[in-house]
Structures are given as C-alpha cells and as structure tokens.
Amino acid sequence: MIHINRPPKSRNPQSLNPINSLQNPSFSQSRMPSFLSKSFLRLPPKSLLFPMSTVAAAKSRLRGVVFDMDGTLTVPVIDFAAMYKAVLGDVEYKRIKAENPSGIDILHHIESWSPEKQQEAYKIIADFEKQGLDRLQIMPGAAQLCGFLDAKKIRRGLITRNVKDAVDLFHQRFGMMFSPALSREFRPYKPSPAPLLHICSTWDVQPNEVMMVGDSLKDDVACGKNAGALTCLLDEKGRYGSQDFANLDLTPDFKVSSLIEVHSLLKSNFDLTP
C-alpha cells in the first residue's frame, strides 16, 4: 500500500539562491555555507503518514526524480553488518550499534581516524563493494519506472554513497543513464542536502519540484527533507514504522514497498507536464 503525507508548501525561491554555490563537485564540508549548517539540518515535527485522500486537489508539478542506487535501483547484495564489523571490530561495532539504533554511518565515523587507519578502512569497504558489483541486479520495476519518466520527459538523477566505479558499472550494465549521477566522491555526501541541491541547480528547478526516492530514512529521506524536496521511502520489507520516524524526527511524504508503486503514485498525485 502507498502511504502519503501532505506535500510541502511552495518555498520562497529567494531562499534557494545559495544552491548555486554547490555546483563545484569538489565542494567540501569545511566550505559549506551557513545555510547548510547543523541548525539548518534540524527538521520540524511532522505528522504521521495517512492513507490517500479521496478529496480532489490541485496536483503539484514534478520536474525531476532523484534516486538512491544501492537498495533502491539495485537489489541490496552487500552484507553491511559484516562490512561494519570488518572495519570496526566486533566490540566497537556492538558499542556503536547500541548507540545508533537507526543505523551506523560508517563513512562519517571513520572521518575522524588517522589517514593510515582511514586508508585501511576504505580498502575493506572497497572490497565489500566490489563483491557487491559482481552480483549487481536491477531492482524489479526500475526499468519500467525509468521508461515512464523518460516518456513524460521527467529528469532522472542519482545520489549514492557508493563509489563512481559502481555508478559507471550500473550505467553500462543496465543501459539506464542518470544525470547528474553523484557518488561519494562528491562531498559532502548524503544525508547532507548538498548533492540534491547541486542537482536542482544543474537542472535549474526548485527543490520542491523534485522527489528524492531511496530506501534509507537517515540518508535518503534526510537528504531530501533537508533540501526542501519531496521524499519517498522505499521500504520493501516493512522495516520502518511511526516510531522510527519519531526517533529521527523524519517523516517521508510517501512510503512504498516497490518501485512499481512509485510509478502509480506519480501518476495519481502529480502534474507531470514537461
């Protein structure tokens, strides 16, 4: 079943001018403008999701959809728990997991390590990611959804915390191109809004005309919400509920169990005029 929250009201375009400063892919966390400070990332309380209303209303215009890759466009194949244990060690993994029940941000965690220790950690992560690439599979419904968006002339972008080589292989293997396609070489990466704002700037559209689709509440939904975009949480196995939304103060605008449902909700709820 598709669950829907009310779309956000249009934002003042003047408040979005700073996104032009994010067009440089070498943009780093240390150079983030003040509007991307921690205070900006704090989300207001949201109401719980509610079933689709039968009351007719004017449809919001949608001009682009940005996707996560691993677990959204591709079937999840990486054993993240095993990877985290290999990087952190069993004891440290258990401690950090207990302190972060919503999930471990391994990339953020190792940023404070020494260069030598970071290099070793990145090598372990790269080995796990390479194993994932060898078993890469397209998510059911992805090809059809992309074909639908292309037919409607709706732009498609991609933001992943995986490496550029993985994105290149995805494009080559499945013949579906996303532009821009930002990997973790773009800094800062999700859940920062910077990559999504960069895509909006590149497309010359407002964030509230774009939807972020992904399977991670703390990365994908947070990125979309922080940027002022619409958000759609892909929850195939029913991992997320109202308590998870409350714990992170994050409520997606839509929650679906498959990409096929994304296709349906776009047709039902948005003006898809090019």
Side-chain angles (χ1 to χ4, degrees), residues 211-222:
M211 177 180 287
M212 179 75 209
V213 180
D215 68 319
S216 172
L217 184 64
K218 68 180 180 64
D219 291 332
D220 303 315
V221 174

Side-chain angles (χ1 to χ4, degrees), residues 16 19-20 22-23 63-66 155 157 159 179-180 182 193-212 223-224 227-230:
L16 302 170
I19 64 176
N20 295 325
L22 301 175
Q23 294 181 12
R63 301 179 65 188
V65 180
V66 178
R155 297 175 177 90
I159 302 173
S179 181
L182 304 180
L196 185 52
L197 291 173
H198 173 79
I199 290 178
C200 292
S201 177
T202 301
W203 288 345
D204 193 25
V205 300
Q206 301 300 329
N208 63 352
E209 298 176 310
V210 172
M211 177 180 287
M212 179 75 209
C223 174
L230 294 154

Side-chain angles (χ1 to χ4, degrees), residues 184-251:
R184 73 165 170 258
E185 287 80 2
F186 182 99
R187 299 294 183 94
Y189 35 69
K190 298 180 295 186
S192 166
L196 185 52
L197 291 173
H198 173 79
I199 290 178
C200 292
S201 177
T202 301
W203 288 345
D204 193 25
V205 300
Q206 301 300 329
N208 63 352
E209 298 176 310
V210 172
M211 177 180 287
M212 179 75 209
V213 180
D215 68 319
S216 172
L217 184 64
K218 68 180 180 64
D219 291 332
D220 303 315
V221 174
C223 174
K225 289 290 184 182
N226 294 336
L230 294 154
T231 56
C232 179
L233 178 65
L234 175 61
D235 187 11
E236 281 194 295
K237 298 181 179 180
R239 292 188 301 154
Y240 296 105
S242 58
Q243 188 58 52
D244 299 292
F245 303 148
N247 289 343
L248 291 176
D249 195 17
L250 286 170
T251 301

